[in-house]
Short mmCIF file of all heavy atoms in Angstrom, two decimals:
data_model
loop_
_atom_site.label_atom_id
_atom_site.label_comp_id
_atom_site.label_asym_id
_atom_site.label_seq_id
_atom_site.Cartn_x
_atom_site.Cartn_y
_atom_site.Cartn_z
N MET A 4 -14.99 17.16 -3.53
CA MET A 4 -14.29 18.07 -2.65
C MET A 4 -13.31 17.30 -1.77
O MET A 4 -12.18 17.74 -1.55
CB MET A 4 -15.29 18.82 -1.80
CG MET A 4 -14.71 19.88 -0.96
SD MET A 4 -14.02 21.17 -1.97
CE MET A 4 -14.27 22.54 -0.94
N ALA A 5 -13.71 16.15 -1.30
CA ALA A 5 -12.86 15.34 -0.42
C ALA A 5 -11.62 14.89 -1.17
O ALA A 5 -10.51 14.88 -0.60
CB ALA A 5 -13.64 14.17 0.14
N LEU A 6 -11.77 14.51 -2.43
CA LEU A 6 -10.60 14.08 -3.18
C LEU A 6 -9.64 15.23 -3.42
O LEU A 6 -8.43 15.01 -3.39
CB LEU A 6 -11.06 13.49 -4.55
CG LEU A 6 -11.65 12.10 -4.51
CD1 LEU A 6 -12.17 11.70 -5.90
CD2 LEU A 6 -10.68 11.10 -4.02
N ALA A 7 -10.14 16.40 -3.62
CA ALA A 7 -9.25 17.58 -3.79
C ALA A 7 -8.49 17.84 -2.51
O ALA A 7 -7.25 18.12 -2.53
CB ALA A 7 -10.03 18.81 -4.19
N VAL A 8 -9.15 17.77 -1.39
CA VAL A 8 -8.47 17.96 -0.09
C VAL A 8 -7.42 16.89 0.16
O VAL A 8 -6.30 17.18 0.58
CB VAL A 8 -9.51 18.04 1.06
CG1 VAL A 8 -8.83 18.03 2.40
CG2 VAL A 8 -10.41 19.27 0.88
N LEU A 9 -7.79 15.63 -0.14
CA LEU A 9 -6.83 14.58 0.06
C LEU A 9 -5.64 14.66 -0.88
O LEU A 9 -4.52 14.35 -0.47
CB LEU A 9 -7.52 13.22 -0.09
CG LEU A 9 -8.46 12.84 1.05
CD1 LEU A 9 -9.28 11.57 0.69
CD2 LEU A 9 -7.72 12.64 2.34
N SER A 10 -5.88 15.10 -2.11
CA SER A 10 -4.77 15.26 -3.08
C SER A 10 -3.85 16.37 -2.60
O SER A 10 -2.63 16.24 -2.69
CB SER A 10 -5.30 15.56 -4.44
OG SER A 10 -6.02 14.44 -4.93
N THR A 11 -4.42 17.44 -2.11
CA THR A 11 -3.61 18.53 -1.58
C THR A 11 -2.81 18.06 -0.37
O THR A 11 -1.65 18.41 -0.19
CB THR A 11 -4.48 19.73 -1.22
OG1 THR A 11 -5.27 20.12 -2.33
CG2 THR A 11 -3.67 20.89 -0.72
N GLY A 12 -3.41 17.25 0.45
CA GLY A 12 -2.72 16.71 1.65
C GLY A 12 -1.56 15.79 1.23
O GLY A 12 -0.51 15.82 1.88
N THR A 13 -1.77 15.01 0.17
CA THR A 13 -0.66 14.15 -0.29
C THR A 13 0.51 15.00 -0.76
O THR A 13 1.65 14.69 -0.47
CB THR A 13 -1.20 13.28 -1.49
OG1 THR A 13 -2.29 12.52 -1.02
CG2 THR A 13 -0.11 12.34 -1.96
N VAL A 14 0.23 16.06 -1.51
CA VAL A 14 1.30 16.93 -2.00
C VAL A 14 2.00 17.62 -0.81
O VAL A 14 3.24 17.70 -0.75
CB VAL A 14 0.75 17.98 -2.97
CG1 VAL A 14 1.81 19.03 -3.31
CG2 VAL A 14 0.24 17.30 -4.22
N ALA A 15 1.24 18.05 0.18
CA ALA A 15 1.81 18.70 1.35
C ALA A 15 2.68 17.72 2.14
O ALA A 15 3.76 18.05 2.58
CB ALA A 15 0.71 19.23 2.24
N LEU A 16 2.22 16.51 2.28
CA LEU A 16 3.02 15.50 2.97
C LEU A 16 4.28 15.15 2.18
O LEU A 16 5.33 14.90 2.80
CB LEU A 16 2.20 14.23 3.20
CG LEU A 16 1.16 14.28 4.34
CD1 LEU A 16 0.28 13.06 4.29
CD2 LEU A 16 1.84 14.45 5.67
N GLY A 17 4.20 15.20 0.88
CA GLY A 17 5.38 14.93 0.05
C GLY A 17 6.45 15.98 0.17
O GLY A 17 7.63 15.75 -0.08
N GLN A 18 6.05 17.20 0.58
CA GLN A 18 7.04 18.27 0.76
C GLN A 18 7.78 18.19 2.08
O GLN A 18 8.80 18.83 2.26
CB GLN A 18 6.34 19.64 0.65
CG GLN A 18 5.62 19.88 -0.65
CD GLN A 18 6.59 19.89 -1.81
OE1 GLN A 18 7.66 20.42 -1.71
NE2 GLN A 18 6.14 19.34 -2.91
N VAL A 19 7.25 17.42 3.03
CA VAL A 19 7.85 17.26 4.31
C VAL A 19 9.08 16.33 4.17
O VAL A 19 9.12 15.49 3.29
CB VAL A 19 6.85 16.68 5.33
CG1 VAL A 19 7.48 16.41 6.70
CG2 VAL A 19 5.64 17.59 5.44
N ALA A 20 10.03 16.49 5.04
CA ALA A 20 11.22 15.60 5.01
C ALA A 20 10.80 14.12 5.06
O ALA A 20 9.90 13.75 5.80
CB ALA A 20 12.14 15.93 6.19
N ALA A 21 11.42 13.33 4.23
CA ALA A 21 11.06 11.93 4.14
C ALA A 21 11.40 11.20 5.41
O ALA A 21 12.54 11.23 5.92
CB ALA A 21 11.77 11.31 2.94
N SER A 22 10.42 10.47 5.90
CA SER A 22 10.63 9.57 7.06
C SER A 22 9.62 8.44 6.92
O SER A 22 8.71 8.50 6.13
CB SER A 22 10.49 10.33 8.36
OG SER A 22 9.11 10.68 8.57
N GLY A 23 9.79 7.44 7.77
CA GLY A 23 8.87 6.32 7.72
C GLY A 23 7.44 6.71 8.07
O GLY A 23 6.49 6.24 7.45
N LEU A 24 7.30 7.60 9.04
CA LEU A 24 5.98 8.01 9.45
C LEU A 24 5.26 8.84 8.36
O LEU A 24 4.06 8.61 8.12
CB LEU A 24 6.07 8.83 10.73
CG LEU A 24 4.76 9.21 11.43
CD1 LEU A 24 3.95 7.98 11.77
CD2 LEU A 24 5.01 10.05 12.62
N VAL A 25 5.98 9.66 7.70
CA VAL A 25 5.40 10.47 6.58
C VAL A 25 4.98 9.54 5.44
O VAL A 25 3.92 9.71 4.81
CB VAL A 25 6.36 11.55 6.10
CG1 VAL A 25 5.86 12.23 4.87
CG2 VAL A 25 6.61 12.55 7.20
N SER A 26 5.83 8.54 5.16
CA SER A 26 5.50 7.59 4.10
C SER A 26 4.22 6.78 4.41
O SER A 26 3.38 6.57 3.55
CB SER A 26 6.66 6.61 3.88
OG SER A 26 7.82 7.29 3.52
N ILE A 27 4.10 6.40 5.67
CA ILE A 27 2.86 5.68 6.06
C ILE A 27 1.64 6.60 5.97
O ILE A 27 0.59 6.18 5.53
CB ILE A 27 3.02 5.15 7.50
CG1 ILE A 27 4.15 4.15 7.58
CG2 ILE A 27 1.74 4.55 8.03
CD1 ILE A 27 3.98 2.91 6.80
N ALA A 28 1.83 7.85 6.31
CA ALA A 28 0.73 8.83 6.19
C ALA A 28 0.30 9.01 4.75
O ALA A 28 -0.87 9.06 4.42
CB ALA A 28 1.11 10.15 6.81
N ILE A 29 1.28 9.08 3.83
CA ILE A 29 0.99 9.21 2.41
C ILE A 29 0.25 7.97 1.90
O ILE A 29 -0.72 8.08 1.13
CB ILE A 29 2.25 9.48 1.62
CG1 ILE A 29 2.79 10.86 1.94
CG2 ILE A 29 2.04 9.32 0.12
CD1 ILE A 29 4.17 11.15 1.34
N LEU A 30 0.68 6.79 2.35
CA LEU A 30 -0.02 5.55 1.93
C LEU A 30 -1.47 5.54 2.48
O LEU A 30 -2.39 5.11 1.79
CB LEU A 30 0.74 4.34 2.46
CG LEU A 30 1.98 3.97 1.67
CD1 LEU A 30 2.72 2.86 2.39
CD2 LEU A 30 1.62 3.54 0.31
N ALA A 31 -1.66 6.01 3.69
CA ALA A 31 -2.99 6.04 4.24
C ALA A 31 -3.89 6.97 3.46
O ALA A 31 -5.08 6.67 3.19
CB ALA A 31 -2.93 6.47 5.71
N VAL A 32 -3.38 8.14 3.08
CA VAL A 32 -4.15 9.08 2.28
C VAL A 32 -4.46 8.45 0.93
O VAL A 32 -5.59 8.61 0.41
CB VAL A 32 -3.42 10.43 2.13
CG1 VAL A 32 -4.14 11.30 1.15
CG2 VAL A 32 -3.31 11.11 3.47
N ALA A 33 -3.52 7.75 0.33
CA ALA A 33 -3.73 7.14 -0.96
C ALA A 33 -4.79 6.02 -0.88
O ALA A 33 -5.64 5.91 -1.82
CB ALA A 33 -2.42 6.53 -1.50
N VAL A 34 -4.78 5.24 0.17
CA VAL A 34 -5.83 4.23 0.34
C VAL A 34 -7.20 4.86 0.51
O VAL A 34 -8.18 4.42 -0.04
CB VAL A 34 -5.48 3.34 1.54
CG1 VAL A 34 -6.67 2.45 1.91
CG2 VAL A 34 -4.27 2.44 1.23
N THR A 35 -7.26 5.96 1.26
CA THR A 35 -8.53 6.68 1.44
C THR A 35 -9.04 7.21 0.12
O THR A 35 -10.23 7.10 -0.18
CB THR A 35 -8.35 7.82 2.43
OG1 THR A 35 -7.82 7.29 3.68
CG2 THR A 35 -9.64 8.53 2.72
N LYS A 36 -8.15 7.74 -0.71
CA LYS A 36 -8.54 8.26 -2.02
C LYS A 36 -9.05 7.14 -2.86
O LYS A 36 -10.05 7.27 -3.61
CB LYS A 36 -7.39 8.97 -2.69
CG LYS A 36 -7.12 10.32 -2.10
CD LYS A 36 -5.83 10.99 -2.56
CE LYS A 36 -5.45 10.80 -3.98
NZ LYS A 36 -4.20 11.50 -4.35
N ALA A 37 -8.37 5.97 -2.89
CA ALA A 37 -8.77 4.86 -3.71
C ALA A 37 -10.13 4.36 -3.28
O ALA A 37 -10.95 3.98 -4.10
CB ALA A 37 -7.75 3.72 -3.59
N TRP A 38 -10.39 4.36 -1.98
CA TRP A 38 -11.67 3.96 -1.46
C TRP A 38 -12.79 4.90 -1.89
O TRP A 38 -13.86 4.48 -2.28
CB TRP A 38 -11.63 3.88 0.07
CG TRP A 38 -12.18 2.59 0.61
CD1 TRP A 38 -13.09 1.77 0.01
CD2 TRP A 38 -11.82 1.97 1.83
NE1 TRP A 38 -13.31 0.71 0.81
CE2 TRP A 38 -12.57 0.81 1.95
CE3 TRP A 38 -10.96 2.34 2.85
CZ2 TRP A 38 -12.49 -0.04 3.02
CZ3 TRP A 38 -10.88 1.46 3.92
CH2 TRP A 38 -11.63 0.31 4.02
N LEU A 39 -12.54 6.20 -1.83
CA LEU A 39 -13.54 7.16 -2.29
C LEU A 39 -13.83 7.02 -3.76
O LEU A 39 -14.99 7.14 -4.17
CB LEU A 39 -13.04 8.58 -1.98
CG LEU A 39 -13.13 9.01 -0.50
CD1 LEU A 39 -12.47 10.39 -0.33
CD2 LEU A 39 -14.57 9.09 -0.05
N ILE A 40 -12.80 6.79 -4.55
CA ILE A 40 -13.00 6.65 -5.99
C ILE A 40 -13.81 5.40 -6.28
O ILE A 40 -14.75 5.44 -7.09
CB ILE A 40 -11.65 6.67 -6.70
CG1 ILE A 40 -11.02 8.01 -6.66
CG2 ILE A 40 -11.81 6.17 -8.16
CD1 ILE A 40 -9.58 8.07 -7.10
N ALA A 41 -13.44 4.28 -5.64
CA ALA A 41 -14.14 3.03 -5.90
C ALA A 41 -15.61 3.11 -5.43
O ALA A 41 -16.52 2.66 -6.15
CB ALA A 41 -13.45 1.87 -5.19
N ASP A 42 -15.85 3.69 -4.30
CA ASP A 42 -17.22 3.76 -3.78
C ASP A 42 -18.05 4.82 -4.54
O ASP A 42 -19.19 4.58 -4.85
CB ASP A 42 -17.20 4.17 -2.28
CG ASP A 42 -17.46 2.97 -1.41
OD1 ASP A 42 -17.69 1.85 -1.92
OD2 ASP A 42 -17.47 3.18 -0.19
N GLY A 43 -17.45 5.95 -4.86
CA GLY A 43 -18.22 7.02 -5.46
C GLY A 43 -18.31 6.94 -6.96
O GLY A 43 -19.35 6.84 -7.51
N PHE A 44 -17.17 6.99 -7.60
CA PHE A 44 -17.17 7.07 -9.08
C PHE A 44 -17.44 5.70 -9.71
O PHE A 44 -18.02 5.64 -10.81
CB PHE A 44 -15.83 7.64 -9.54
CG PHE A 44 -15.62 9.05 -9.17
CD1 PHE A 44 -14.68 9.37 -8.23
CD2 PHE A 44 -16.41 10.06 -9.72
CE1 PHE A 44 -14.49 10.70 -7.84
CE2 PHE A 44 -16.23 11.39 -9.32
CZ PHE A 44 -15.26 11.69 -8.37
N MET A 45 -16.99 4.60 -9.11
CA MET A 45 -17.30 3.29 -9.67
C MET A 45 -18.60 2.74 -9.15
O MET A 45 -18.96 1.62 -9.52
CB MET A 45 -16.12 2.36 -9.35
CG MET A 45 -14.83 2.78 -10.02
SD MET A 45 -13.42 1.77 -9.52
CE MET A 45 -13.85 0.21 -10.23
N GLU A 46 -19.25 3.47 -8.29
CA GLU A 46 -20.55 3.11 -7.73
C GLU A 46 -20.60 1.73 -7.08
O GLU A 46 -21.54 0.96 -7.32
CB GLU A 46 -21.61 3.26 -8.77
CG GLU A 46 -21.78 4.71 -9.23
CD GLU A 46 -22.92 4.89 -10.20
OE1 GLU A 46 -23.72 3.98 -10.41
OE2 GLU A 46 -23.02 5.98 -10.75
N LEU A 47 -19.59 1.44 -6.29
CA LEU A 47 -19.52 0.13 -5.63
C LEU A 47 -20.41 0.06 -4.36
O LEU A 47 -20.57 -0.99 -3.79
CB LEU A 47 -18.10 -0.25 -5.27
CG LEU A 47 -17.25 -0.74 -6.44
CD1 LEU A 47 -15.88 -1.03 -5.96
CD2 LEU A 47 -17.88 -1.97 -7.07
N ARG A 48 -20.96 1.18 -3.98
CA ARG A 48 -21.86 1.19 -2.80
C ARG A 48 -23.01 0.22 -2.99
O ARG A 48 -23.54 -0.37 -2.04
CB ARG A 48 -22.36 2.59 -2.52
CG ARG A 48 -21.38 3.49 -1.94
CD ARG A 48 -22.03 4.80 -1.55
NE ARG A 48 -20.99 5.74 -1.19
CZ ARG A 48 -20.71 6.83 -1.91
NH1 ARG A 48 -21.40 7.12 -2.95
NH2 ARG A 48 -19.75 7.63 -1.52
N HIS A 49 -23.45 0.08 -4.24
CA HIS A 49 -24.64 -0.73 -4.50
C HIS A 49 -24.25 -2.06 -5.15
O HIS A 49 -25.16 -2.82 -5.55
CB HIS A 49 -25.57 0.05 -5.41
CG HIS A 49 -25.88 1.41 -4.90
ND1 HIS A 49 -26.59 1.64 -3.75
CD2 HIS A 49 -25.53 2.62 -5.38
CE1 HIS A 49 -26.69 2.95 -3.51
NE2 HIS A 49 -26.03 3.57 -4.49
N ALA A 50 -22.98 -2.39 -5.17
CA ALA A 50 -22.51 -3.64 -5.79
C ALA A 50 -22.65 -4.78 -4.78
O ALA A 50 -22.75 -4.54 -3.55
CB ALA A 50 -21.07 -3.53 -6.23
N PRO A 51 -22.65 -6.04 -5.28
CA PRO A 51 -22.61 -7.16 -4.29
C PRO A 51 -21.41 -7.06 -3.38
O PRO A 51 -20.34 -6.56 -3.76
CB PRO A 51 -22.52 -8.37 -5.24
CG PRO A 51 -23.08 -7.94 -6.55
CD PRO A 51 -22.71 -6.45 -6.64
N ARG A 52 -21.57 -7.62 -2.19
CA ARG A 52 -20.51 -7.48 -1.16
C ARG A 52 -19.18 -8.06 -1.61
O ARG A 52 -18.13 -7.49 -1.31
CB ARG A 52 -20.97 -8.24 0.12
CG ARG A 52 -21.91 -7.46 0.90
CD ARG A 52 -22.17 -8.18 2.20
NE ARG A 52 -23.22 -7.53 2.93
CZ ARG A 52 -23.73 -7.98 4.04
NH1 ARG A 52 -23.30 -9.13 4.56
NH2 ARG A 52 -24.69 -7.33 4.63
N LEU A 53 -19.20 -9.19 -2.29
CA LEU A 53 -17.96 -9.82 -2.69
C LEU A 53 -17.17 -8.88 -3.64
O LEU A 53 -15.97 -8.68 -3.46
CB LEU A 53 -18.21 -11.16 -3.43
CG LEU A 53 -16.96 -11.83 -3.96
CD1 LEU A 53 -16.01 -12.20 -2.86
CD2 LEU A 53 -17.36 -13.06 -4.77
N TRP A 54 -17.82 -8.33 -4.62
CA TRP A 54 -17.14 -7.44 -5.57
C TRP A 54 -16.63 -6.18 -4.86
O TRP A 54 -15.54 -5.73 -5.15
CB TRP A 54 -18.04 -7.03 -6.72
CG TRP A 54 -18.24 -8.16 -7.71
CD1 TRP A 54 -19.37 -8.89 -7.93
CD2 TRP A 54 -17.23 -8.70 -8.56
NE1 TRP A 54 -19.12 -9.83 -8.86
CE2 TRP A 54 -17.82 -9.73 -9.29
CE3 TRP A 54 -15.87 -8.42 -8.77
CZ2 TRP A 54 -17.10 -10.48 -10.21
CZ3 TRP A 54 -15.18 -9.16 -9.71
CH2 TRP A 54 -15.81 -10.18 -10.40
N ARG A 55 -17.43 -5.66 -4.00
CA ARG A 55 -17.05 -4.46 -3.26
C ARG A 55 -15.82 -4.74 -2.42
O ARG A 55 -14.85 -3.96 -2.42
CB ARG A 55 -18.19 -3.96 -2.42
CG ARG A 55 -17.90 -2.64 -1.76
CD ARG A 55 -19.11 -2.09 -1.08
NE ARG A 55 -18.83 -0.75 -0.62
CZ ARG A 55 -19.16 -0.29 0.57
NH1 ARG A 55 -19.85 -1.05 1.38
NH2 ARG A 55 -18.85 0.92 0.96
N ARG A 56 -15.84 -5.81 -1.70
CA ARG A 56 -14.67 -6.17 -0.84
C ARG A 56 -13.41 -6.45 -1.67
O ARG A 56 -12.33 -6.02 -1.29
CB ARG A 56 -15.00 -7.37 0.01
CG ARG A 56 -15.95 -7.04 1.13
CD ARG A 56 -16.22 -8.22 1.96
NE ARG A 56 -17.20 -7.87 3.00
CZ ARG A 56 -17.86 -8.71 3.70
NH1 ARG A 56 -17.72 -10.02 3.50
NH2 ARG A 56 -18.75 -8.32 4.59
N LEU A 57 -13.59 -7.09 -2.81
CA LEU A 57 -12.41 -7.40 -3.64
C LEU A 57 -11.78 -6.11 -4.19
O LEU A 57 -10.59 -5.93 -4.15
CB LEU A 57 -12.81 -8.30 -4.80
CG LEU A 57 -13.03 -9.77 -4.47
CD1 LEU A 57 -13.52 -10.52 -5.68
CD2 LEU A 57 -11.73 -10.41 -3.98
N VAL A 58 -12.64 -5.22 -4.67
CA VAL A 58 -12.12 -3.96 -5.28
C VAL A 58 -11.55 -3.06 -4.22
O VAL A 58 -10.49 -2.43 -4.40
CB VAL A 58 -13.19 -3.28 -6.12
CG1 VAL A 58 -12.75 -1.92 -6.58
CG2 VAL A 58 -13.59 -4.13 -7.31
N LEU A 59 -12.18 -2.98 -3.05
CA LEU A 59 -11.72 -2.10 -2.02
C LEU A 59 -10.47 -2.64 -1.29
O LEU A 59 -9.68 -1.87 -0.80
CB LEU A 59 -12.82 -1.83 -1.02
CG LEU A 59 -14.03 -1.03 -1.49
CD1 LEU A 59 -15.04 -0.89 -0.38
CD2 LEU A 59 -13.60 0.30 -2.04
N SER A 60 -10.30 -3.95 -1.28
CA SER A 60 -9.17 -4.52 -0.57
C SER A 60 -7.86 -4.42 -1.31
O SER A 60 -6.78 -4.49 -0.72
CB SER A 60 -9.46 -5.97 -0.21
OG SER A 60 -9.53 -6.76 -1.36
N TRP A 61 -7.90 -4.23 -2.67
CA TRP A 61 -6.65 -4.18 -3.41
C TRP A 61 -5.80 -3.03 -2.94
O TRP A 61 -4.53 -3.15 -2.86
CB TRP A 61 -6.88 -4.15 -4.88
CG TRP A 61 -7.31 -2.80 -5.39
CD1 TRP A 61 -8.58 -2.36 -5.56
CD2 TRP A 61 -6.48 -1.69 -5.75
NE1 TRP A 61 -8.60 -1.07 -6.03
CE2 TRP A 61 -7.29 -0.63 -6.13
CE3 TRP A 61 -5.09 -1.49 -5.77
CZ2 TRP A 61 -6.78 0.61 -6.53
CZ3 TRP A 61 -4.60 -0.26 -6.17
CH2 TRP A 61 -5.44 0.78 -6.54
N ALA A 62 -6.37 -1.90 -2.61
CA ALA A 62 -5.59 -0.72 -2.19
C ALA A 62 -4.92 -1.00 -0.84
O ALA A 62 -3.78 -0.61 -0.62
CB ALA A 62 -6.47 0.49 -2.16
N VAL A 63 -5.65 -1.65 0.05
CA VAL A 63 -5.12 -1.96 1.35
C VAL A 63 -3.94 -2.95 1.22
O VAL A 63 -2.88 -2.79 1.82
CB VAL A 63 -6.20 -2.51 2.31
CG1 VAL A 63 -5.64 -2.94 3.62
CG2 VAL A 63 -7.26 -1.47 2.48
N VAL A 64 -4.15 -3.98 0.39
CA VAL A 64 -3.10 -5.00 0.22
C VAL A 64 -1.86 -4.36 -0.45
O VAL A 64 -0.72 -4.63 -0.02
CB VAL A 64 -3.65 -6.14 -0.68
CG1 VAL A 64 -2.53 -7.08 -1.10
CG2 VAL A 64 -4.74 -6.91 0.08
N LEU A 65 -2.07 -3.51 -1.42
CA LEU A 65 -0.96 -2.82 -2.05
C LEU A 65 -0.20 -1.88 -1.08
O LEU A 65 1.02 -1.86 -1.04
CB LEU A 65 -1.46 -2.01 -3.25
CG LEU A 65 -0.39 -1.38 -4.12
CD1 LEU A 65 0.50 -2.45 -4.76
CD2 LEU A 65 -1.08 -0.60 -5.22
N ALA A 66 -0.93 -1.20 -0.25
CA ALA A 66 -0.30 -0.32 0.75
C ALA A 66 0.51 -1.15 1.77
O ALA A 66 1.62 -0.75 2.17
CB ALA A 66 -1.34 0.51 1.46
N ILE A 67 0.00 -2.28 2.14
CA ILE A 67 0.74 -3.14 3.09
C ILE A 67 2.00 -3.66 2.43
O ILE A 67 3.08 -3.68 3.04
CB ILE A 67 -0.17 -4.29 3.58
CG1 ILE A 67 -1.27 -3.75 4.50
CG2 ILE A 67 0.65 -5.36 4.30
CD1 ILE A 67 -2.34 -4.76 4.85
N ALA A 68 1.89 -4.07 1.16
CA ALA A 68 3.08 -4.56 0.44
C ALA A 68 4.11 -3.46 0.30
O ALA A 68 5.34 -3.71 0.46
CB ALA A 68 2.68 -5.09 -0.95
N ILE A 69 3.71 -2.27 0.01
CA ILE A 69 4.65 -1.13 -0.13
C ILE A 69 5.26 -0.83 1.21
O ILE A 69 6.47 -0.56 1.29
CB ILE A 69 3.96 0.08 -0.75
CG1 ILE A 69 3.63 -0.22 -2.21
CG2 ILE A 69 4.81 1.32 -0.61
CD1 ILE A 69 2.75 0.85 -2.86
N SER A 70 4.51 -0.88 2.30
CA SER A 70 5.02 -0.53 3.60
C SER A 70 6.10 -1.54 4.07
O SER A 70 6.97 -1.17 4.85
CB SER A 70 3.90 -0.40 4.61
OG SER A 70 3.30 -1.63 4.86
N PHE A 71 6.01 -2.77 3.58
CA PHE A 71 7.03 -3.76 3.93
C PHE A 71 8.39 -3.37 3.33
O PHE A 71 9.43 -3.74 3.82
CB PHE A 71 6.67 -5.15 3.51
CG PHE A 71 5.68 -5.81 4.39
CD1 PHE A 71 4.62 -6.54 3.88
CD2 PHE A 71 5.75 -5.69 5.79
CE1 PHE A 71 3.69 -7.16 4.70
CE2 PHE A 71 4.84 -6.26 6.64
CZ PHE A 71 3.79 -7.04 6.07
N THR A 72 8.36 -2.65 2.21
CA THR A 72 9.63 -2.26 1.56
C THR A 72 10.23 -0.98 2.16
O THR A 72 11.35 -0.64 1.81
CB THR A 72 9.42 -2.05 0.05
OG1 THR A 72 8.54 -0.95 -0.16
CG2 THR A 72 8.87 -3.27 -0.60
N LEU A 73 9.50 -0.29 3.02
CA LEU A 73 10.03 0.95 3.59
C LEU A 73 11.03 0.61 4.67
O LEU A 73 11.18 0.20 5.53
CB LEU A 73 8.88 1.79 4.13
CG LEU A 73 7.92 2.28 3.11
CD1 LEU A 73 6.78 3.12 3.78
CD2 LEU A 73 8.62 3.15 2.10
#
């Protein structure tokens, strides 16, 4: 249910006039969705800490890299 709400939020934010703040909000929603998918569907909640941190951090690193280009 949370992924459906976040996906709808992403689409709604995409319909708003493009600005830096909206782009950051879309990136934040995307990172949240990636985190939910990794924790829930990939079952990383029960994985070793190192693997969990590595998989969860890629979305944050990617969002930071994209935000530098905005």
Side-chain angles (χ1 to χ4, degrees):
M4 185 67 148
L6 285 174
V8 171
L9 289 172
S10 294
T11 304
T13 303
V14 172
L16 284 171
Q18 299 298 321
V19 177
S22 69
L24 187 58
V25 173
S26 299
I27 297 298
I29 291 172
L30 283 173
V32 172
V34 168
T35 305
K36 285 171 37 179
W38 229 334
L39 285 173
I40 290 169
D42 258 358
F44 295 109
M45 296 174 66
E46 297 185 9
L47 284 178
R48 285 188 190 111
H49 309 293
R52 282 187 188 173
L53 176 63
W54 285 111
R55 186 172 188 224
R56 287 181 183 164
L57 285 174
V58 172
L59 294 178
S60 66
W61 76 267
V63 175
V64 170
L65 187 61
I67 290 170
I69 291 171
S70 67
F71 282 138
T72 64
L73 297 177

